[in-house]
């Protein structure tokens, strides 16, 4: 039976590209068929997997230029029962699209706030006076520019092809190594892979409250590849911490570290142990 | 001579309310006159103070529900020379505005993404099917709803008064203690107050790279009231860290800690030592 996969739609978003790459990966490695289901927001995408509306959901978690996609962390913390099955790293390249014939005369640029932020320097240099208008997805920006030649949009090269829109500039992202991590989440427990992600809260805002949890890993030479704080939302100055661990060899050591961590934290939630798969440019060019 | 203060405009934004409260505070305590200058984005607001277009700039840095305003941290790190003069904590209350007579029949809701996020539960409960459209500020949302009774906006109670729009619901934020920290920044060195904010990068992504900097403060019982990571933008997995310290009594101890910190970090930037002023509801009701 085909596996259903929820993603932030519509067709042409970077989430759809990641979903297609994951579908290809599952078809190649496990001969599994995947059916993609678009959702209007990241929160709804992840909730679809929690409520079994879809078997799996794919969601962006971090971009190399703009940092955390906080709604993904917050939603995973709230839903509790979801596990990370797989991480995909997608290279992100932005193009500039417009029905106008040149950059001169443009008045407005539409795109998702993450895309606008990732092309900030290019926009300041080439279009210093345009009005920047945020949209819910990079694809949504495209519908805005169809009628009006004084407007432009930032989207993926794939979206330009799909919606048949003229490309005025390519690779406009400020950092050439721009990429986004996506997590595939589902209800199945995940215990295989070299990476573990977890979230925890600490008992109180006292000197060194965060040092003890971090020392647990440092003393065992376990690398933290990422640490992120998020507000508990109860009051200003109270935080949750999200951590990614790299497991090098000794899994027993990791289990010991996680047990020890529990003695220094208030609430702890393990989001899963999983593998990281970079998406190759050759797969991308075929999508 | 009057002091000029840049803020994220136009009139009616929460930044403007914070700017007005700060102007009142300076008038009361130092008999200083302040002239407010609106800017279209947070980055441009902060840059105005760096380029001396304005004497000071006020910018949101963290909300208790939605977390960091990352553009403020990123801009301060890039500009280097600005110092935090003062922190203001503003209680944030959102109201729902529409020219329609009731919540039934509404199709779209406009607001700043932070405001939409802070009222997520209310929106899911009362308007589960509406389309949420992000805008550059809560005030910008208001111009969208004037002609169309099937649309609504989330903004501040002050904006409702200023733009004379009907309020359909008040206090719709998911958390009653919702508040935002604002920093007033300028070129004057700042060395008075019980809080220090700084940013640093660590030499390499090795086990425990972050533990040593944090141990410096824990061993001296200096409380970190906040830690935030941001991508260096060079490559995925490399981070800058932003820290707020609370200085309780011994300033020498703090200076020692900062010197010691420098031996464990790559680049370190002190953003200033400053006081925190909560804005009282009585001042807000007069604005």
């Amino acid at each position: 039976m085909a596996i259903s996969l929820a993603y932030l739609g519509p067709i042409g978003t970077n989430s759809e590209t990641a979903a297609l790459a994951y579908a290809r990966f599952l078809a190649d490695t496990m001969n599994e068929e995947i059916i993609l289901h678009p959702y209007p927001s990241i929160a709804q995408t992840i909730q679809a997997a929690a409520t079994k509306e879809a078997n799996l959901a794919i969601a962006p978690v971090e971009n190399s230029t703009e940092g955390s996609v906080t709604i993904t962390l917050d939603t995973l913390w709230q839903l509790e029962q979801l596990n990370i099955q797989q991480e995909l790293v997608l290279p992100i390249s932005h193009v500039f699209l417009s029905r106008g014939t040149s950059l001169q005369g443009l008045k407005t640029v539409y795109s998702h706030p993450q895309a606008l932020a990732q092309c900030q320097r290019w926009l300041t240099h080439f279009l210093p006076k345009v009005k920047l208008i945020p949209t819910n997805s990079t694809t949504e920006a495209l519908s805005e520019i169809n009628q009006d030649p004084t407007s432009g949009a930032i989207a993926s090269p794939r979206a330009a092809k799909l919606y048949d829109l003229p490309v005025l500039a390519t690779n406009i992202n400020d950092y050439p190594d721009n990429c986004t991590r996506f997590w595939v989440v589902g209800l199945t427990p995940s215990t295989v892979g070299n990476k573990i992600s977890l979230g925890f809260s600490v008992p109180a805002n006292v000197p060194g409250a965060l040092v003890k949890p971090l020392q647990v890993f440092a003393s065992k030479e376990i690398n933290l590849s990422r640490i992120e704080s998020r507000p508990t939302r109860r009051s200003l100055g109270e935080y949750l911490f999200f951590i990614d661990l790299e497991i090098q060899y000794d899994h027993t050591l990791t289990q010991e570290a996680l047990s020890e961590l529990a003695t220094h934290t208030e609430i702890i939630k393990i989001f899963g142990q999983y593998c990281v798969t970079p998406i190759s440019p050759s797969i991308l060019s075929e999508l």
Side-chain angles (χ1 to χ4, degrees), chain A:
Chain A
M1 213 177 74
I3 294 170
S4 55
L5 175 64
Y7 72 96
L8 173 67
I11 287 172
T13 61
N14 284 305
S15 285
E16 192 227 13
T17 305
L20 288 168
Y22 183 63
R24 168 70 67 92
F25 169 79
L26 281 199
D28 289 354
T29 56
M30 298 200 267
N31 206 18
E32 293 275 15
E33 194 196 340
I34 298 262
I35 298 171
L36 271 58
H37 294 275
Y39 280 83
S41 73
I42 291 173
Q44 284 163 287
T45 303
I46 298 172
Q47 272 150 10
T51 56
K52 297 190 188 173
E53 242 179 75
N55 299 118
L56 297 168
I58 190 163
V61 62
E62 186 186 15
N63 172 267
S64 60
T65 308
E66 272 310 293
S68 277
V69 181
T70 53
I71 187 69
T72 299
L73 297 176
D74 292 349
T75 308
L76 279 182
W77 177 267
Q78 280 158 25
L79 292 176
E80 300 204 16
Q81 72 276 40
L82 287 171
N83 298 296
I84 304 164
Q85 314 286 321
Q86 177 80 38
E87 175 172 315
L88 294 150
V89 182
L90 181 75
I92 304 280
S93 166
H94 292 297
V95 299
F96 188 82
L97 308 166
S98 174
R99 292 258 175 233
T101 48
S102 79
L103 294 179
Q104 273 80 50
L106 289 181
K107 289 183 188 153
T108 42
V109 172
Y110 295 86
S111 199
H112 189 271
Q114 277 265 348
L116 293 173
Q118 288 164 29
C119 303
Q120 213 171 299
R121 275 200 244 154
W122 186 88
L123 287 166
T124 311
H125 189 255
F126 290 103
L127 297 166
K129 289 186 178 163
V130 299
K131 187 167 185 211
L132 305 177
I133 300 186
T135 52
N136 285 311
S137 70
T138 49
T139 307
E140 196 182 277
L142 305 180
S143 61
E144 302 284 348
I145 67 166
N146 240 330
Q147 307 301 323
D148 176 7
T150 71
S151 68
I154 295 172
S156 67
R158 180 175 149 78
K161 268 194 285 180
L162 283 172
Y163 294 87
D164 193 26
L165 283 160
V167 175
L168 297 197
T170 57
N171 287 319
I172 65 166
N173 27 291
D174 296 337
Y175 296 84
D177 291 338
N178 193 29
C179 51
T180 297
R181 297 167 64 204
F182 286 84
W183 282 344
V184 177
V185 297
L187 293 171
T188 317
S190 55
T191 52
V192 178
N194 65 340
K195 221 164 160 187
I196 290 179
S197 291
L198 54 96
F200 63 83
S201 60
V202 287
N205 187 22
V206 293
L210 184 59
V211 175
K212 281 181 193 157
L214 295 187
Q215 263 171 343
V216 169
F217 299 109
S219 67
K220 294 183 165 50
E221 300 212 343
I222 296 170
N223 193 30
L224 304 185
S225 55
R226 176 164 173 252
I227 178 165
E228 176 72 53
S229 62
R230 293 288 303 145
T232 59
R233 302 177 166 213
R234 290 181 299 216
S235 97
L236 201 61
E238 276 188 24
Y239 300 95
L240 305 174
F241 296 95
F242 291 87
I243 276 179
D244 295 346
L245 307 178
E246 282 169 15
I247 313 167
Q248 298 299 345
Y249 44 96
D250 191 339
H251 283 241
T252 324
L253 206 65
T254 312
Q255 286 312 318
E256 275 173 30
L258 293 178
S259 308
E260 206 181 317
L261 179 66
T263 66
H264 300 298
T265 54
E266 191 189 42
I267 300 168
I268 176 166
K269 295 180 186 177
I270 313 283
F271 300 126
Q273 180 169 349
Y274 55 90
C275 293
V276 179
T277 306
I279 301 172
S280 74
S282 69
I283 282 191
L284 285 183
S285 65
E286 290 166 24
L287 293 178

